[in-house]
Amino acid sequence: MNRPRRSPAPTTATNQRSIINVPNTLCAIRLVGACAMVPIAWIDQPRLFLILFLVTALTDWIDGKLAIWLNQRTEFGARFDSIADAAMYGALLFGLGWLKGDVIWPAWPWIAAALLSYAATMATGAIKFRQWPSYHS
């Protein structure tokens, strides 16, 4: 009895091997930009801080769109994007606290609640799945 030959499984975006692609490059730019935001806030340059944040936020928006459009989605890219996002928002929180602490300070209970909620979610995912969660498909 001859069985029909199966064609090889189509290559899906999630099993691509190359991690060097346009979306991951944008994530790397965002990570470097987030690292640069901290000293820029430290030397009291609010306008430059804002510009750099807007650039990093734009890379956050664009990289996901390009990953889908260019079919360059990878598991590494999803995790790298989460790391770059966390760095960007951490730098934003530090910069706002440093540059505009008098405005931010009254909202500290709400900020602390958001940070604790995020930490609890990450810890729960790490415990349950034995790896840090990534919120990208």
Side-chain angles (χ1 to χ4, degrees), residues 22-71:
V22 174
N24 291 350
T25 302
L26 289 173
C27 284
I29 291 169
R30 183 166 61 257
L31 186 59
V32 169
C35 293
M37 286 168 60
V38 172
I40 287 170
W42 188 275
I43 62 171
D44 199 29
Q45 294 293 318
R47 184 177 299 251
L48 185 55
F49 181 84
L50 175 62
I51 290 168
L52 189 54
F53 171 71
L54 292 175
V55 168
T56 59
L58 185 61
T59 65
D60 186 26
W61 181 73
I62 292 173
D63 75 336
K65 305 291 184 213
L66 286 176
I68 294 167
W69 186 57
L70 298 173
N71 197 25

Side-chain angles (χ1 to χ4, degrees), residues 58-126:
L58 185 61
T59 65
D60 186 26
W61 181 73
I62 292 173
D63 75 336
K65 305 291 184 213
L66 286 176
I68 294 167
W69 186 57
L70 298 173
N71 197 25
Q72 294 181 341
R73 293 169 287 174
T74 63
E75 186 175 329
F76 171 82
R79 296 204 178 279
F80 190 37
D81 187 61
S82 294
I83 291 167
D85 287 350
M88 180 183 69
Y89 289 119
L92 176 65
L93 183 61
F94 171 82
L96 287 176
W98 187 263
L99 295 168
K100 300 290 182 184
D102 54 331
V103 176
I104 299 298
W105 182 249
W108 77 265
W110 299 106
I111 294 170
L115 290 174
L116 287 172
S117 171
Y118 180 75
T121 302
M122 294 297 283
T124 301

